[in-house]
Amino acid sequence: MSGRKNGATDFERRLGRIIAMQRTKMGMSQAALARAAGVTFQQIHNYESAENRIAAGTLHKIATAFGMTVGQLIDGATAPYMQDPLIAKTINIMYAKMTAPQRKCLCTVAAYMTGGE
């Protein structure tokens, strides 16, 4: 669906970023997540970039692959720090370069700064 990105809602863009961040945090490739969700890796890319909408069943499979609930993914997408695309992108880039303990620390700091747990 070319051109979909411009028609995506803010929520869909934030959900895509949360999925990308969680996947990166877990050290999971797009191909691995695609296998777990029963879609192609290109489709995962399209979800992460908000070029395609995510069906409820696929979102459930993605959440399960992360060991999360759909509600937790939604909560992540609506977190205050996700409202700023620059902050979300910066966190995603940092994730890719961090160790697992560093990633956990970053999440803790981000949650603390935004009033989360």
Side-chain angles (χ1 to χ4, degrees):
M1 284 187 205
S2 75
R4 166 75 177 106
K5 193 172 189 177
N6 290 335
T9 66
D10 286 340
F11 173 76
E12 290 168 331
R13 284 188 288 276
R14 289 192 311 268
L15 182 59
R17 284 193 298 264
I18 272 295
I19 290 169
M21 289 169 57
Q22 186 64 30
R23 179 182 57 74
T24 303
K25 177 180 172 183
M26 296 183 70
M28 186 181 285
S29 68
Q30 286 180 335
L33 181 56
R35 282 189 298 278
V39 298
T40 65
F41 78 91
Q42 293 96 335
Q43 193 62 29
I44 295 298
H45 169 78
N46 290 342
Y47 295 151
E48 290 179 358
S49 61
E51 291 179 23
N52 292 116
R53 289 191 170 136
I54 306 172
T58 303
L59 185 60
H60 182 262
K61 289 177 184 177
I62 289 170
T64 300
F66 293 153
M68 302 171 76
T69 65
V70 170
Q72 288 171 311
L73 280 178
I74 301 294
D75 287 346
T78 58
Y81 66 90
M82 287 303 295
Q83 305 298 318
D84 185 326
L86 183 59
I87 292 172
K89 183 176 181 178
T90 301
I91 290 171
N92 196 27
I93 291 168
M94 291 172 67
Y95 267 175
K97 298 179 181 188
M98 294 179 161
T99 64
Q102 290 170 327
R103 291 174 183 151
K104 184 174 182 179
C105 180
L106 179 63
C107 289
T108 302
V109 169
Y112 175 77
M113 291 176 68
T114 59
E117 297 177 5

